[in-house]
Amino acid sequence: MTPADRAPGIDRRSAIRGLAAIGIGTTTGAFAHGFLYGRQDVEITRETLTVSGLPPSLSGLRLGFLSDTHRSRTVAHELIDRAVRMLLAEQPDLIVLGGDYVTWGDRRYVEPAAEALAPLTAPHGVFAVLGNHDDDRDMPAALAARGFTVLRDQRTQAIIRGEKLEIAGIRYWTRQVNDLAYVLRGATPNLMLLAHTPARLVEASALGVPLVLSGHTHGGQIVLPGIGAIAARKYPIIAGAGRRKNTAAFVTRGIGTVYVPVRLNCPPEVAILTLKPVDFG
């Protein structure tokens, strides 16, 4: 048989090269979309959390939750401003901020980060904790200057509908059960814990904390089809609502990005959380 008699086709090497080219093109296209659009497309997530021990009078209490703004060279004021305006339009009863307002403690962006958040206001206050990217002096001072309550291994109270809601906030580096127990000592059962990392859910559950709110994971930031969020697998909850024993938790995907300015299958998020008591009926 001469070459002219052979049926046209593609040899194995050419097929592999073709498939590789398709894979590279698809990956490049996905990351380009994540850079141009995915990291800018802020969503509102509305979630109802069932909280043990929540008084019936606080049923329906709405929390606005923002975290991980990461104001930096690659996270612009406009993105945070959009998230702030979306949250304010929801008119929550109380607002919580989950930390990592800048990236790598870059002091050039401390004031811009705080200024972007400055419009936030709610009837029962705005409460904040720090993340692992925030310094322990300039960032809390900038937030406090905007009227926010910054909790660093501290507790405070909000009186809502005649009930005391205790709000505790811990530093990223407060990890031991004994240290967390010290912050919570004397707290009433009507308690909410702000912890930048969801890794603290383990200790909070051991101490019987009813509700934990966290950020830090970015929801994985890059979530691959069929594989998931590789970068955040070590956490008990990567994103969204979850539970450990009697402790309800919510982990927000946050607003900004870190390491690479890309979000893939994981859009930035403003969370509106509605609390309701456990129904024993």
Side-chain angles (χ1 to χ4, degrees):
M1 179 181 293
T2 66
D5 295 324
R6 297 193 184 106
I10 301 175
D11 61 43
R12 184 171 179 271
R13 182 175 297 175
S14 296
I16 292 173
R17 287 175 178 169
L19 290 172
I22 291 170
I24 292 171
T26 301
T27 301
T28 301
F31 272 75
H33 185 275
F35 173 77
L36 294 171
Y37 305 106
R39 68 189 179 111
Q40 307 288 347
D41 189 18
V42 183
E43 292 185 350
I44 293 182
T45 297
R46 297 179 179 86
E47 188 78 46
T48 298
L49 303 179
T50 302
V51 180
S52 299
L54 187 76
S57 60
L58 292 184
S59 182
L61 184 70
R62 298 172 71 248
L63 312 179
F65 187 20
L66 280 183
S67 188
D68 298 273
T69 53
H70 281 285
R71 180 72 172 87
S72 63
R73 184 173 58 84
T74 58
V75 180
H77 172 91
E78 289 74 19
L79 176 62
I80 303 170
D81 178 65
R82 190 183 320 138
V84 165
R85 286 187 282 110
M86 291 171 68
L87 190 153
L88 288 174
E90 294 291 314
Q91 299 182 320
D93 299 302
L94 181 149
I95 293 173
V96 293
L97 304 175
D100 277 3
Y101 307 101
V102 299
T103 295
W104 304 125
D106 192 335
R107 283 175 165 79
R108 294 175 298 173
Y109 293 101
V110 166
E111 283 295 324
E115 191 59 29
L117 296 169
L120 290 174
T121 184
H124 298 288
V126 180
F127 302 86
V129 291
L130 302 177
N132 54 303
H133 283 261
D134 303 314
D135 78 286
D136 202 39
R137 185 187 66 180
D138 294 347
M139 194 70 248
L143 294 172
R146 271 72 181 185
F148 305 156
T149 300
V150 183
L151 299 171
R152 293 178 284 175
D153 292 345
Q154 295 170 301
R155 276 198 339 269
T156 189
Q157 293 181 344
I159 306 299
I160 305 173
R161 303 173 192 170
E163 295 282 356
K164 289 182 180 179
L165 174 63
E166 296 228 40
I167 305 167
I170 57 172
R171 302 169 191 263
Y172 176 80
W173 310 108
T174 300
R175 300 180 176 183
Q176 302 301 318
V177 171
N178 289 342
D179 294 332
L180 185 52
Y182 181 81
V183 176
L184 302 180
R185 186 174 60 184
T188 66
N190 193 19
L191 172 68
M192 172 172 64
L193 174 67
L194 311 182
H196 177 67
T197 171
R200 298 290 76 79
L201 175 60
V202 176
E203 292 81 10
S205 176
L207 293 169
V209 175
L211 175 62
V212 178
L213 302 181
S214 300
H216 187 59
T217 67
H218 299 199
Q221 191 170 307
I222 296 173
V223 179
L224 301 177
I227 298 176
I230 298 174
R233 284 181 174 176
K234 65 180 180 180
Y235 298 103
I237 301 172
I238 297 173
R243 197 167 197 89
R244 186 181 179 96
K245 298 180 182 178
N246 289 326
T247 301
F250 184 87
V251 180
T252 179
R253 299 192 300 268
I255 299 298
T257 54
V258 71
Y259 299 114
V260 290
V262 171
R263 278 185 177 267
L264 189 60
N265 299 317
C266 187
E269 169 182 77
V270 170
I272 303 297
L273 310 174
T274 301
L275 308 187
K276 71 173 186 177
V278 174
D279 183 4
F280 294 104

